[in-house]
Structure formats: structure tokens, C-alpha cells
Amino acid sequence: MAEIFTIIAPVFIIMMLGYGLGKTRLFPDGSAPILISFVWYVAIPALLFRSLAPNELPDASELLFVLAYYGSLYVVYALAMLSTRLLFGLTTAEQATFAFVTCFGNAGFIGIPIVEGVYGEEGVRLLLMLVSFHSLTLLPVTTVIVERAADATEGPGIASRTFASVRQNPIIIALLVGLGWSALSLPYPHWLDKVLELPAVAAAPVGLFSVGLSLASVRIAGNITHAMVAVSLKLMILPLTVFLVAHFLMGLPDVWVGVATLMAALPSGMIAYSFASQYGIGARRAATAVLISTGLSAATLSVVLFGLKAGGLS
């Protein structure tokens, strides 16, 4: 338990520090988006590129790792949509934003330090691979469902705007450039690594602080029952489903199973709240789910880590 505390405690202490200072005048409105932009557009791409460019190309078998995670995720995504239609009578667009909150984890900010603490650099590389597909699949799928349900525009317009955002995603760009650099066996000089190291090592601490800072402005509102269903699916059903599929159904290596399960167990990300706010669909419910899931995840992640350790998977 002491080892688990050593991994979890620093993560949530830094977030609590950001949350507390976000309530003061030291960090005025607009501070959190600036820090988040640095992490998203500079620090995480630098970290991802460093993990790919100087190394050999990932094995094709790692696509099974991605398939196990996202196959499980879309089962829970469909379950979230179906359950909210049957239980709460939500519209299709509301179901999609609810499912997005349920499945989109805060992997880039909270996941990196936790996975690194358990599985090291290799674990972070695997995590960032999953994060890349997060933006490549989950965001476009939800956008198409919401806009078609709202009949906001014609199909080609939806596709063009959706995939334009994917092309501009810094994580995907870093992934493709890093893979290309590795495939071509381009030189990776020491000075370049030192330049990239500076923002890369800042990804975790600045990301955690910015999460706390952004949550300082979030209030619990809307239907608490709806939010708690989303939190339960996110923190319990999704990681359990991913673990069962990756470990028992597909028999993946222990490290892959552990990384996938930890990513699934992460709390809902602020991007889900921003998405709901942008479309004006269930924004208060999404904000409440993000806030509650982040608070509860200190306990649920500890349980997941304990289970992985007891099962010899960490």
C-alpha cells in the first residue's frame, strides 16, 4: 500500500494545489487554458516524439493492444447511450455527450505520471499510443452523432470539419512525425533530445496543476443522478471491461493489460465538458461528472493499482 500511496499521492496533491490556488487572485481567469495549451501543444507532443523517434518502430502486434482498449470502450459507449435512453429518456445528442463524458479519460494530464510511476517510459509510450487514438476516433464519432441528431449541417460538412480538427491535433501530428522519423532511421542528435526533454518533463507537473486550476471554476450542478451514472460507468465499468477483454479474452502481455486498465480507470477529462459546452448539450451534467470523477478517482485508482499488483500485473 505504501508503494501505491507514493504513486497516487503526489498526483492528487499537485492537483489540489492547483485547485486551491485557483480560488485565489494569484491565478486570474484565463490562466488554466494557457497552461493546458502549453501541455497539449508543446509538452505532450515533445514527450511522444522522444519516445518514438530514436527507437525502432512499434511492433504491428501492438494494434491488438489498441483494439482491446477501443473495442471495450465502444461497448461501454453504446451501453452509456442505451442506458440513458431507457433510464432518463435523453435525446440522441444528449446520449452521445453523456457517453463521451463516460469514455473520454484525462489520460494526457493525470494518466502520464501514474503510468510512469508503475510501468516507466515504456508504459508512457503505450499510454500515449492510446491517447492518440482517443482524439482520432472518440471525438469524431461523437461529433458526427451529435450533429446528425441535431441536423446541424449536411453530412459532408460534418465530415470535413470533424477531420480538419483531427488533422490539426498536436498529439496525432507528433505521433506521425515520430513514427516517420523512426521508419526512416533519421539521426536523433543529443542536442535535439535535450531540447525536447525540457518541455517533456514538464508535461506531468504542469498538466496536473492545470487540471486543478481548471476544476477550481467548475461547480456541481444539473442532475446529480445522471452524473453519478456517468461516473460509475467511467470509474468502474469501463476499467473492468477493458481488463476482462485484454487479460482474459485476448491474453495480452501484463504491461499492456495494466496500462490499458489504468487508462480506462482515469477520471473524465475536461475536453468532454468543453465539448458539451460547445454544443450546449448537457454541459452542467458533464461538468459535475468531471469534478466528481476526479475527486473519487484517488480512491478508485488506488483500488485498481492494488488489484493489478495483487494479480502480478504491475
Side-chain angles (χ1 to χ4, degrees):
M1 288 301 294
E3 183 181 352
I4 294 174
F5 179 81
T6 302
I7 295 171
I8 294 293
V11 170
F12 286 89
I13 288 173
I14 296 299
M15 280 197 291
M16 289 169 60
L17 178 64
Y19 184 87
L21 290 178
K23 298 289 188 180
T24 70
R25 296 182 179 180
L26 290 175
F27 291 87
D29 292 343
S31 299
I34 293 172
L35 293 178
I36 290 172
S37 293
F38 165 76
V39 174
W40 187 250
Y41 286 96
V42 180
I44 293 179
L47 181 64
L48 179 56
F49 182 82
R50 284 186 80 220
S51 72
L52 293 173
N55 300 311
E56 295 183 359
L57 283 172
D59 194 276
S61 64
E62 291 183 3
L63 290 177
L64 292 175
F65 169 64
V66 175
L67 177 61
Y69 183 83
Y70 283 97
S72 305
L73 181 143
Y74 279 111
V75 168
V76 176
Y77 189 99
L79 175 63
M81 292 190 67
L82 178 62
S83 62
T84 52
R85 185 179 69 184
L86 297 177
L87 294 175
F88 309 129
L90 299 187
T91 65
T92 301
E94 289 173 329
Q95 293 168 35
T97 57
F98 182 96
F100 190 48
V101 172
T102 296
C103 294
F104 199 100
N106 201 334
F109 294 82
I110 300 177
I112 289 174
I114 292 177
V115 170
E116 185 175 26
V118 181
Y119 296 109
E121 292 184 1
E122 174 63 10
V124 172
R125 183 186 70 81
L126 292 169
L127 176 74
L128 292 177
M129 182 185 302
L130 292 181
V131 171
S132 302
F133 282 88
H134 232 49
S135 302
L136 189 62
T137 62
L138 198 54
L139 185 58
V141 166
T142 306
T143 300
V144 169
I145 293 174
V146 169
E147 296 209 6
R148 282 196 177 279
D151 197 24
T153 185
E154 296 298 323
I158 297 174
S160 62
R161 289 190 293 107
T162 299
F163 290 104
S165 66
V166 171
R167 289 196 306 270
Q168 297 164 7
N169 187 292
I171 308 299
I172 295 173
I173 294 173
L175 174 71
L176 295 177
V177 173
L179 290 174
W181 199 287
S182 174
L184 296 173
S185 299
L186 296 176
Y188 185 77
H190 180 67
W191 66 264
L192 177 60
D193 184 65
K194 298 302 290 184
V195 169
L196 294 173
E197 181 184 15
L198 293 174
V201 297
V206 177
L208 292 172
F209 186 85
S210 65
V211 168
L213 201 60
S214 62
L215 289 176
S217 61
V218 175
R219 302 289 183 271
I220 293 180
N223 193 308
I224 303 299
T225 302
H226 292 193
M228 288 307 299
V229 171
V231 171
S232 299
L233 288 169
K234 181 69 191 75
L235 298 183
M236 293 188 289
I237 303 303
L238 181 57
L240 178 61
T241 304
V242 169
F243 174 77
L244 292 175
V245 170
H247 186 56
F248 291 107
L249 183 61
M250 302 187 69
L252 299 181
D254 291 349
V255 174
W256 296 11
V257 174
V259 171
T261 303
L262 281 174
M263 176 159 169
L266 293 169
S268 301
M270 285 295 290
I271 289 178
Y273 166 63
S274 300
F275 181 90
S277 298
Q278 177 185 346
Y279 283 95
I281 302 173
R284 291 190 301 170
R285 176 173 54 235
T288 300
V290 170
L291 187 58
I292 294 176
S293 68
T294 302
L296 293 179
S297 65
T300 55
L301 281 167
S302 297
V303 172
V304 169
L305 282 172
F306 180 80
L308 292 174
K309 187 173 181 63
L313 299 173
S314 69

